[in-house]
Amino acid sequence: MELYEAINTRRTARKFSEKQVGFEAIKRILQAGNKAPTWDHNRNWHYIILKTDEEKETAFAYAKSVADKFDADRYLNMPRPYPITLGQKMYGYAMPLQYTMLKDAPYVIVPLFRSKELNGEYVSKLNPFATIWCVIENIFLAATAEGLSCSMRIPLNREQEIVKQKLKVPPTYMIPVFIGIGYADPNEQILEQYNPDIDKQIHLGKWK
């Protein structure tokens, strides 16, 4: 698949078909992740891969509790002083699926980057965090090139520490995201998304 085609066809999937995924494809996707730029030149990344229901149920009990508590109907239909936004519609759709979009995926990838804590005092101090997201974007595009789709959950509140403990992650590593990978359910609802006007985003020389 050509690069721009992968970029333009990539989308987040929150429902997966039962079609299985070969592990060799997962390895190719992670190899693509490893091609991302790295600030310390040693690509200090690791990947935990979850496949069985038991592994995913253990790791994502917190996500299940969040999803179970969310009342999508109430959220989507609550009185607002303005029309509901596309972002709010997406949030209302996605929140109830935060657990199943991981559990039902054939594989879940948990990328790890070495950092005890995030320090945002200066942008440069976020280099480990910035480069792992370059890895993640490569994973998304490589999965798309393989004909696969990804779900994405960013750990909420204490969720990272809870999952780190369950997966026995060393204290010197952090989890930026959980990625479900599989063949998207072709019948999944596709919500409208906002497409910004690039000409309004470009500033030549300075902001104004």
Side-chain angles (χ1 to χ4, degrees), residues 121-133:
E121 181 183 3
Y122 304 109
V123 171
S124 62
K125 290 184 178 293
L126 294 173
N127 279 341
F129 187 64
T131 54
I132 191 63
W133 277 99

Side-chain angles (χ1 to χ4, degrees), residues 25-188:
I26 299 299
K27 290 177 67 176
R28 288 193 296 271
I29 290 167
L30 295 181
Q31 287 281 18
N34 277 346
K35 297 297 183 181
T38 174
W39 72 280
D40 56 1
H41 304 291
N42 62 14
R43 291 180 163 78
N44 230 324
W45 309 310
H46 290 266
Y47 310 96
I48 295 175
I49 299 176
L50 307 178
K51 180 171 174 57
T52 69
D53 284 348
E54 181 180 7
E55 290 170 343
K56 290 179 278 190
E57 288 166 2
T58 298
F60 303 125
Y62 186 95
K64 185 176 188 303
S65 69
V66 171
D68 288 347
K69 291 176 184 176
F70 187 78
D71 187 338
D73 186 66
R74 179 177 178 275
Y75 175 81
L76 291 170
N77 295 291
M78 64 191 302
R80 291 180 172 87
Y82 52 83
I84 189 169
T85 67
L86 296 180
Q88 289 168 334
K89 289 180 180 179
M90 183 66 72
Y91 186 80
Y93 172 75
M95 284 304 295
L97 302 174
Q98 292 297 293
Y99 172 66
T100 55
M101 71 181 189
L102 297 173
K103 182 177 180 296
D104 294 345
Y107 290 97
V108 175
I109 294 174
V110 183
L112 307 169
F113 68 102
R114 192 163 68 181
S115 181
K116 291 183 179 180
E117 61 181 4
L118 294 181
N119 182 345
E121 181 183 3
Y122 304 109
V123 171
S124 62
K125 290 184 178 293
L126 294 173
N127 279 341
F129 187 64
T131 54
I132 191 63
W133 277 99
C134 294
V135 173
I136 293 163
E137 183 64 17
N138 274 16
I139 288 173
F140 290 159
L141 295 179
T144 302
E146 294 278 351
L148 301 168
S149 294
C150 298
S151 61
M152 175 180 70
R153 175 173 171 80
I154 297 173
L156 181 66
N157 300 329
R158 293 188 57 252
E159 185 175 7
Q160 184 211 196
E161 292 304 321
I162 293 170
V163 177
K164 279 180 62 174
Q165 184 176 20
K166 290 183 176 182
L167 300 183
K168 302 186 184 303
V169 175
T172 52
Y173 281 82
M174 299 186 72
I175 300 172
V177 70
F178 311 118
I179 304 171
I181 294 187
Y183 290 97
D185 180 345
N187 298 315
E188 181 180 6

